[in-house]
Amino acid sequence: MTVGVARASVSPDATAPDEASLGLYTSLRPDRTGAVPLNRTVARGKIYVTAAGEGVAAATFWLDDPARTALRIERQRPFDFAGGAADGSANAFDTTTVADGNHVIFAEITLTGGEKVNAWAAFTVSNQGGGPAPTPTTKPTPTPTPTAKPAPAPTTGAPEPPSGGGKCPLPAYPTPACTGVPAGTSLTTINGSYTASKAGEVVSGKRITGQLYIAAPDVEVKNSEIYGGIRYAGGSHTNTAHSFTITDSTLGKPSGCDQEYAVGHRDYTATRVLVRNFGDAFRNSGNNILVQDSYAKICAERGFHSDGVQGYGGGSNVVIRHNTIDQRNLVDGTSPIFFSDGSKGAKITDNLLAGGGYTARMYGNGYTFSGNLIVDEAWDYGPSDSDCGGVAWSNNKVVDIDGNYRVTATGRGLGCD
């Protein structure tokens, strides 16, 4: 089984990465002490990157594009991205050898039992202006929490902001580097689940190891990690569902694969959300949903039938705009876009979609599917299996992409099938 690991959860006071959870870590010292999770850090000069965690037997590394030849294979501890010296210290990764900006290190980690786990960490290189590298930390000064009431979920007929807004605008598509909890955000851990029970409550700067339950209207979630996803208090299909927004947040545990969905199921707005290690990302079983500028890497195990966006009895005023949904190389993966079971339609525009049995499935009437890019041959059976009479289909194309989700080749125009 292969699962995705964005980064592990670990105290910034850890003395060495091998004492931490499975993932990729960075230190400013060749002895690897003071290591913190690499994901969403800012790097300058020389850093020391290690794949670590209990039960690691080998690690294969790539920088930015896992489709290329691996940079290094390490078969004995410690598992350093740049290799190790004879004295046991780590070799440095000199970030001045790559361009300033966003990068991703990928690692295929082999565990002692033979299981392979895909790990990745997105980070930003910033060498312009020189000077020593900043000390990695997960405890900067917290950003003050705004007191303004969050914007309500979208309503029918409301004007839409320009497509491709946010931190990774068109022609780019969302990646782990421009979604999820912003680099440097201080997170306070809440062990177990938490219920937002006050109208207009702001949940910010939290790491919730269980589920977040919405029990009041106009809740705003931002700059937070929620391992168990978001539910309405009283059950996912309760009649007392309340509107909420979620922005710049990460949903999912650092490892494993949760069969349930990350967020649902009506009256919500999700912006720059990173979904990892969930079988379903965004659930639609009601009205007024906007998902935009977000990234989801879907997982699956046998029998999951996973989806990126699942409309199960979906309602009206549903907009899925400018997202990256990656569902490649899975067992029992259904579709990145899957609307069925009496769903009333949706507007699906300017998304980058990859994988699935069929990449797009829309059954019924009332759909707009426009300006979407579908990764060529990433599907099992075909790019689309839809009720074409109910879909306003236009300007969709087949493309090739690199490891950073950049379009490298645009192929044929794609009709509804």
Side-chain angles (χ1 to χ4, degrees), residues 106 129 202 209 248 259 323 372 381:
F106 298 87
V202 177
T209 63
D248 296 321
Q259 183 176 0
N323 305 285
N372 299 290
Y381 310 116

Side-chain angles (χ1 to χ4, degrees), residues 336-391:
I337 298 293
F338 184 29
F339 285 87
S340 64
D341 300 288
S343 294
K344 297 178 182 178
K347 186 175 183 180
I348 305 156
T349 61
D350 296 322
N351 299 284
L352 178 62
L353 308 171
Y358 293 94
T359 305
R361 285 180 166 179
M362 293 161 284
Y363 304 120
N365 297 295
Y367 298 98
T368 296
F369 193 79
S370 176
N372 299 290
L373 303 184
I374 293 179
V375 177
D376 195 15
E377 299 295 336
W379 54 76
D380 293 331
Y381 310 116
S384 171
D385 179 40
S386 302
D387 291 340
C388 295
V391 181

Side-chain angles (χ1 to χ4, degrees), residues 24 32 110 132-133 168 245 305 345 369:
L24 293 168
R32 309 171 191 85
T110 302
C168 34
T245 65
H305 304 292
F369 193 79

Side-chain angles (χ1 to χ4, degrees), residues 67-266:
R68 298 177 181 174
T69 301
L71 293 178
R72 179 173 298 279
I73 301 176
E74 292 285 293
R75 292 189 172 89
Q76 61 183 23
R77 189 179 301 274
F79 305 97
D80 297 311
F81 173 69
D87 62 0
S89 62
N91 292 335
F93 167 39
D94 187 352
T95 64
T96 64
T97 62
V98 299
D100 278 7
N102 296 326
H103 295 274
V104 182
I105 288 178
F106 298 87
E108 182 182 78
I109 297 175
T110 302
L111 302 179
T112 52
E115 181 183 17
K116 294 184 184 295
V117 176
N118 289 332
W120 52 262
F123 62 102
T124 301
V125 171
S126 180
N127 285 302
Q128 187 173 2
T135 301
T137 177
T138 57
K139 292 184 176 180
T141 302
T143 301
T145 301
T147 58
K149 183 179 179 179
T155 57
T156 303
E160 297 180 7
S163 183
K167 298 178 181 177
C168 34
L170 283 168
Y173 289 87
T175 69
C178 61
T179 56
V181 179
T185 301
S186 177
L187 297 178
T188 300
T189 298
I190 298 175
N191 290 314
S193 297
Y194 175 78
T195 299
S197 57
K198 298 178 181 179
E201 182 172 350
V202 177
V203 179
S204 180
K206 300 294 189 291
R207 176 182 287 118
I208 300 171
T209 63
Q211 294 177 328
L212 172 62
Y213 291 101
I214 306 296
D218 299 325
V219 171
E220 181 182 9
V221 184
K222 63 181 182 178
N223 302 331
S224 294
E225 277 188 343
I226 305 166
Y227 287 178
I230 298 180
R231 302 288 186 273
Y232 295 105
S236 62
H237 292 271
T238 177
N239 291 325
T240 57
H242 300 290
S243 64
F244 65 92
T245 65
I246 176 169
T247 307
D248 296 321
S249 294
T250 300
L251 300 177
K253 295 179 181 179
S255 61
C257 187
D258 191 328
Q259 183 176 0
E260 295 298 326
Y261 60 90
V263 58
H265 60 99
R266 66 190 192 205

Side-chain angles (χ1 to χ4, degrees), residues 11-24:
S11 164
D13 300 321
T15 58
D18 283 341
E19 301 173 9
S21 302
L22 185 67
L24 293 168

Side-chain angles (χ1 to χ4, degrees), residues 43-56:
R44 182 180 301 158
K46 294 181 179 180
I47 61 174
Y48 301 86
V49 176
T50 303
E54 183 178 355
V56 178

